Amino acid sequence: MTGSQPVSIVMIEDDEGHARLIEKNIRRAGVTNEIIPFTNGTDAVNYMFGADGSAKVSKSRALLILLDLNLPDMTGIDILKRVKGNDVLKRVPVVVLTTTDDAQEIQRCYDLGCNVYITKPVDYENFAQAIRQLGLFFSVIQVPT
């Protein structure tokens, strides 16, 4: 990913097998950016928004968010709403990567400001291929800082 500072990928994914697969295949695509993994929404929100909830802590960070919708403690939709409703974080690209292929859910995510919506393929090889392609996308994307 290009820009004035390295972009950190905030990966919010509760399935550890999926998280390992995502990281491995993003690396296979040649992306060397830091990946900051979270297995629940609470820890990810605390990281991005800080103790005061203002997100000022993220003002100097170049971020890209990889978001699963199905989390144990809150929905990815809630996180997406908070990110896109915050002045500091609203321009951060959000890639929704989830098992949900419901047309209404997809529309809702785009309406809330997600930048890319990817349905996780069920079988391993297609999932790995989709993530490698996502990694290639990450290698050329411009992220606001």
Side-chain angles (χ1 to χ4, degrees):
M1 281 178 257
T2 56
S4 58
Q5 72 181 90
V7 174
S8 296
I9 300 169
V10 175
M11 178 173 61
I12 311 168
E13 168 62 73
D14 66 316
D15 183 316
E16 289 187 31
H18 285 179
R20 279 194 300 275
L21 189 64
I22 290 165
E23 183 162 1
K24 183 169 86 176
N25 284 286
I26 286 175
R27 298 289 181 230
R28 261 193 200 150
V31 175
T32 58
N33 300 63
E34 177 185 24
I35 297 176
I36 307 163
F38 295 98
T39 55
N40 64 69
T42 304
D43 291 343
V45 166
N46 290 342
Y47 172 79
M48 293 184 292
F49 286 86
D52 66 358
S54 70
K56 286 185 181 137
V57 69
S58 291
K59 203 170 177 79
S60 62
R61 296 173 176 160
L63 300 175
L64 181 144
I65 301 168
L66 195 53
L67 179 63
D68 185 9
L69 293 184
N70 306 307
L71 299 167
D73 55 342
M74 65 178 69
T75 70
I77 294 282
D78 292 334
I79 295 171
L80 180 60
K81 280 183 191 169
R82 283 194 66 183
V83 166
K84 294 302 181 178
N86 178 279
D87 282 342
V88 175
L89 295 172
K90 66 184 176 189
R91 289 186 191 91
V92 169
V94 177
V95 176
V96 172
L97 182 63
T98 190
T99 53
T100 309
D101 65 355
D102 176 65
Q104 285 183 308
E105 192 80 342
I106 294 167
Q107 186 64 53
R108 188 169 172 213
C109 286
Y110 279 115
D111 287 347
L112 290 170
C114 102
N115 300 84
V116 180
Y117 189 106
I118 299 171
T119 303
K120 292 177 187 172
V122 177
D123 68 282
Y124 175 87
E125 197 42 55
N126 286 341
F127 188 28
Q129 181 62 29
I131 299 303
R132 280 195 293 275
Q133 290 170 348
L134 182 63
L136 294 173
F137 172 68
F138 284 173
S139 69
V140 297
I141 192 172
Q142 294 284 332
V143 175
T145 51

